[in-house]
């Protein structure tokens, strides 16, 4: 049971609504209450078989609708079919497969050995469903970043309300249809809409909120969660730096940087935001980058292999970043053109700290290149900014790589690669402070959506011997215990 001072009415489910400045639309509170009403029932009846069946159903509905998924993402921002398969469909299907395979082990309570003080007891940690969860998704990978968290949420035995991004309406509508086909609304339901819908949902007393989006909105989500003390996972963004060291395999580095920066037209939370390139290899590396971009996307960025920018507002934002940089002396060494929502892959040099592009998360196909000679200064610059979501290092010198890792902080690190830390099921995926709180993926995602409940059972604990009244005998025993336990 939850209790709150500002209780309007008991909902009959143990979930208590708190006062909000604006009324919650009845369909949204009804969707929540329908799920909340089944929490206890699900606690009783939602074991391994039921959860695996839910995941299988999600997988089936995705498989049956692959063409529709490709079409929706093409409609939303011309995302190439190959990228949809690679970055939207395969990751979710892999998440499902991995969770179905390992769920039995993840769900098993873990034993904890007793200490001297708890001798005579048995301890275990039970991962339990949190209850009703809210998943708020962004637009940049609108399918996989909505359904990936849902995989972990269902694996952990929860109900979910999913709020896809309004910026990708075709994918949002498709997700709503697929979820309605696959699940009853008291298990999973989709609430489509923009900020008002998101804020109405955030006013409800969810057990957990899993948010993926910008750090600015992440703060709004955390403030809303503070009102009900919902736990949160925040998957946020920021400027992920990439360092090209003097001994890097430059050709290989160019392959990975071009893949990481221009997949999804740079609209990727873990894309390399900007490059620090050692001065001794800068000319050779930028030539290789130019050649690799030309090979991948042609010279003008009109290639169907490059996605569009999600909408005119974001394309204009990128145009503004370029104009500001140019006005302040930046040099465009490749691309620089924009045709509506098509932005050509662009390389920028002569970057100065006063340029907006050096401060804001770029989130588009524009790559600033900053030459360096002294690694200490690069590390200082990285540490002067909010901790990034990812940090990439290209080098062969192990001690330099280790030094960069040791002296900086970021959600993840990629060494001689970009992006694919996201698809490694054994790794936690998340940021740190400004780039996020908590982790997703595989077992880490399961844990995010679970409450780890401590259960300690007494068999023959001797502690009652020291319960009050504190007689001389008890005091002697406590004195002995102090000497033994320290
Ligand atoms: P966003 O924060 O603008 O929106 C994300 C979601 O929040 C959307 O569903 C939107 O409707 C909702 N929202 C927007 N404003 C809101 C408000 N005031 N109150 C409540 N809800 C609100 O993010 P975006 O533009 O969709 O995505 C881009 C950002 O997300 C970038 O910063 C990127 O780095 C980050 N991102 C992070 C990850 C990750 O896994 N860490 C993944 C993808 C994107």
């Amino acid at each position: 049971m939850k209790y709150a001072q500002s209780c309007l009415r008991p909902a009959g489910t143990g979930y208590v609504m708190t006062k909000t400045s604006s009324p919650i639309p009845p369909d949204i509170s009804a969707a929540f209450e329908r799920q909340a009403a089944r929490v206890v029932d699900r606690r009783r009846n939602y074991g391994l078989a039921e959860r695996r069946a839910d995941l299988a159903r999600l997988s089936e509905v995705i498989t049956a609708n692959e063409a529709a998924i490709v079409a929706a993402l093409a409609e939303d921002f011309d995302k190439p079919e190959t990228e949809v398969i690679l970055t939207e469909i395969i990751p979710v299907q892999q998440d499902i497969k991995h969770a179905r395979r390992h769920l039995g082990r993840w769900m098993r309570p873990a034993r904890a050995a007793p200490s001297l003080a708890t001798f005579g007891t048995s301890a275990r940690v039970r991962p339990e469903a949190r209850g009703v969860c809210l998943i708020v998704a962004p637009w940049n990978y609108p399918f996989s970043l909505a359904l990936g968290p849902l995989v972990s949420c269902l694996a952990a035995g929860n109900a979910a309300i999913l709020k896809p991004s309004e910026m990708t309406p075709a994918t949002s509508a498709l997700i709503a249809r697929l979820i309605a086909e696959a699940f009853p609304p008291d298990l999973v339901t989709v609430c489509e809409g923009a900020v008002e819908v998101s804020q109405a949902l955030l006013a409800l007393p969810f057990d957990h909120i899993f948010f993926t989006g910008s750090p600015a909105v992440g703060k709004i989500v955390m403030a809303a969660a503070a009102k009900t003390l919902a736990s949160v996972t925040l998957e946020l963004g920021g400027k992920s730096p990439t360092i090209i060291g003097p001994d890097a395999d430059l050709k290989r580095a160019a392959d990975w940087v071009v893949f990481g920066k221009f997949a999804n037209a740079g609209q990727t939370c873990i894309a390399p935001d900007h490059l620090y390139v050692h001065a001794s290899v800068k000319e050779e590396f930028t030539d290789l980058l130019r050649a690799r971009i030309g090979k991948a996307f042609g010279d003008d960025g009109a290639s169907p292999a490059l996605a569009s920018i999600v909408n005119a507002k974001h394309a204009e934002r990128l145009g503004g970043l370029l104009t500001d940089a140019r006005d302040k002396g930046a040099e465009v060494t490749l691309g620089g053109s924009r045709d509506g929502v098509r932005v050509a892959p662009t390389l920028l040099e002569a970057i100065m700290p006063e340029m907006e592009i050096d401060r804001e998360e770029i989130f588009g196909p524009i790559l600033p290149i900053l030459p360096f000679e002294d690694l200490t200064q690069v590390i200082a610059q990285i540490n002067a900014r909010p901790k990034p979501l990812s940090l990439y290092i290209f080098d062969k010198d192990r001690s330099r790589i280790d030094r960069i890792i040791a002296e900086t902080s970021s959600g993840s690190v990629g060494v001689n690669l970009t992006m694919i830390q996201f698809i490694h099921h054994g790794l936690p995926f998340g940021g740190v402070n400004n780039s996020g709180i908590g982790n997703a993926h595989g077992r880490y995602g399961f844990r995010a959506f679970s409450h780890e409940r401590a259960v300690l059972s007494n068999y023959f604990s001797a502690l009652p011997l020291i319960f009050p009244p504190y007689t001389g005998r008890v005091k002697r025993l406590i004195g002995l215990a102090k000497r033994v336990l320290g």
Side-chain angles (χ1 to χ4, degrees):
M1 272 279 215
K2 289 185 177 179
Y3 295 94
Q5 287 285 306
S6 55
C7 170
L8 288 180
R9 68 199 152 89
T13 55
Y15 288 83
V16 176
M17 307 291 176
T18 50
K19 277 184 186 140
T20 57
S21 48
S22 49
I24 298 169
D27 54 332
I28 290 183
S29 49
F32 175 84
E33 280 172 25
R34 214 171 16 231
Q35 298 196 347
R38 282 217 43 220
V39 163
V40 176
D41 176 39
R42 259 197 315 275
R43 264 186 211 139
R44 264 187 222 117
N45 299 316
Y46 242 65
L48 177 61
E50 290 73 16
R51 298 181 195 189
R52 292 185 82 233
D54 285 343
L55 294 173
R57 214 160 34 247
L58 184 59
S59 174
E60 278 157 25
V61 83
I62 294 172
T63 305
N65 286 279
E66 273 182 15
I69 299 166
V70 169
L73 279 138
E75 188 180 334
D76 279 333
F77 60 111
D78 306 316
K79 186 154 172 164
E81 178 175 357
T82 318
E83 272 186 26
V84 174
I85 293 167
L86 201 66
T87 66
E88 303 275 5
I89 297 176
I90 292 179
V92 180
Q93 292 286 27
Q94 286 290 306
D95 281 351
I96 294 174
K97 212 168 158 188
H98 183 75
R100 291 189 81 238
R101 185 176 305 146
H102 296 284
L103 190 52
R105 192 160 47 83
W106 297 346
M107 286 173 69
R108 212 172 295 142
R111 294 228 162 262
S115 63
L116 257 184
T118 55
F119 189 74
T121 65
S122 150
R124 68 208 154 101
V125 182
R126 268 174 60 89
E128 295 186 346
R130 289 188 182 276
V132 184
C133 302
L134 172 65
I135 297 171
V136 181
W139 54 262
N140 62 329
Y141 289 84
F143 190 77
S144 57
L145 293 178
L147 296 192
L150 181 65
V151 171
S152 301
C153 183
L154 291 174
N158 299 285
I161 294 184
L162 197 56
K163 212 294 283 170
S165 174
E166 71 281 16
M167 302 250 216
T168 38
T171 310
S172 172
L174 178 68
I175 290 173
R177 176 170 74 73
L178 299 192
I179 292 297
E181 263 175 51
F183 300 112
D186 60 8
L187 181 62
V188 190
T189 197
V190 173
C191 289
E192 285 191 88
V195 176
E196 319 76 64
V197 171
S198 195
Q199 291 191 337
L201 285 165
L202 286 170
L204 292 165
F206 282 96
D207 294 290
H208 189 73
I209 300 172
F210 188 107
F211 170 80
T212 308
S214 58
V217 180
K219 289 174 191 170
I220 294 171
V221 170
M222 198 154 170
K227 296 213 170 99
T228 58
L229 290 178
S231 51
V232 292
T233 305
L234 303 177
E235 297 281 343
L236 310 177
K239 288 177 84 63
S240 296
T242 298
I243 302 172
I244 312 289
D247 296 326
D249 176 337
L250 298 182
K251 193 175 164 310
R252 188 155 74 131
D255 285 344
W256 281 100
V257 168
V258 171
F259 162 67
K261 180 69 187 186
F262 301 106
N264 216 36
Q267 301 164 109
T268 304
C269 54
I270 49 170
D273 180 271
H274 51 287
L275 298 182
Y276 294 105
V277 185
H278 194 268
S280 64
V281 296
K282 199 211 109 201
E283 288 312 318
E284 190 185 348
F285 184 65
T286 32
D287 285 349
L288 282 166
L289 267 187
R290 264 194 294 271
R292 192 65 190 85
I293 292 168
K295 187 173 161 198
F297 307 110
D299 292 331
D300 56 1
S303 158
L306 187 74
S308 293
I309 301 308
V310 70
N311 55 30
K313 187 174 141 232
H314 274 278
E316 278 154 25
R317 179 185 64 80
L318 289 167
L321 287 182
L322 258 182
T323 308
D324 173 77
R326 273 180 166 139
D327 288 352
K328 291 172 180 161
E331 212 183 302
V332 175
T333 57
L334 182 80
S337 63
R338 178 167 79 88
D339 180 7
V341 288
R342 308 284 305 173
V343 175
T346 298
L347 299 180
L348 266 190
E349 297 189 34
I351 304 298
M352 301 304 285
E354 59 272 22
M355 296 173 183
E356 286 301 320
I357 204 146
D358 198 48
R359 297 187 198 151
E360 222 184 82
E361 179 181 5
I362 299 171
F363 224 56
I366 305 173
L367 184 57
I369 298 173
L370 298 97
F372 75 94
E373 284 182 356
D374 182 2
L375 188 60
T376 304
Q377 279 178 7
V378 172
I379 290 173
Q381 275 182 31
I382 292 171
N383 288 337
R385 292 194 165 145
K387 294 167 196 159
L389 189 56
S390 294
L391 166 69
Y392 299 110
I393 308 165
F394 288 88
D395 211 327
K396 287 192 208 116
D397 184 316
R398 194 69 243 175
S399 64
R400 212 164 23 229
I401 295 169
D402 289 345
R403 176 182 168 204
I404 298 168
I405 296 174
E407 294 182 18
T408 58
S409 175
S410 63
S412 60
V413 180
V415 179
N416 294 321
L417 57 80
T418 59
M419 305 265 272
I420 59 166
Q421 73 274 26
F422 184 85
I423 55 168
H424 195 300
H425 284 118
L427 290 177
F429 182 79
V432 50
N433 298 130
N434 198 67
S435 53
I437 293 176
N439 286 312
H441 292 182
R443 186 169 203 155
Y444 297 92
F446 172 83
R447 290 182 70 181
F449 281 102
S450 301
H451 166 57
E452 291 178 336
R453 191 181 194 185
V455 181
L456 188 66
S457 306
N458 181 16
Y459 293 99
F460 47 86
S461 168
L463 286 183
L465 291 176
I466 57 164
F467 288 174
Y470 297 123
T471 58
R473 186 179 65 98
V474 169
K475 284 183 182 158
R476 278 194 300 282
L477 275 173
I478 290 175
L480 180 68
K482 187 163 172 272
R483 279 202 298 281
V484 176
L485 299 175

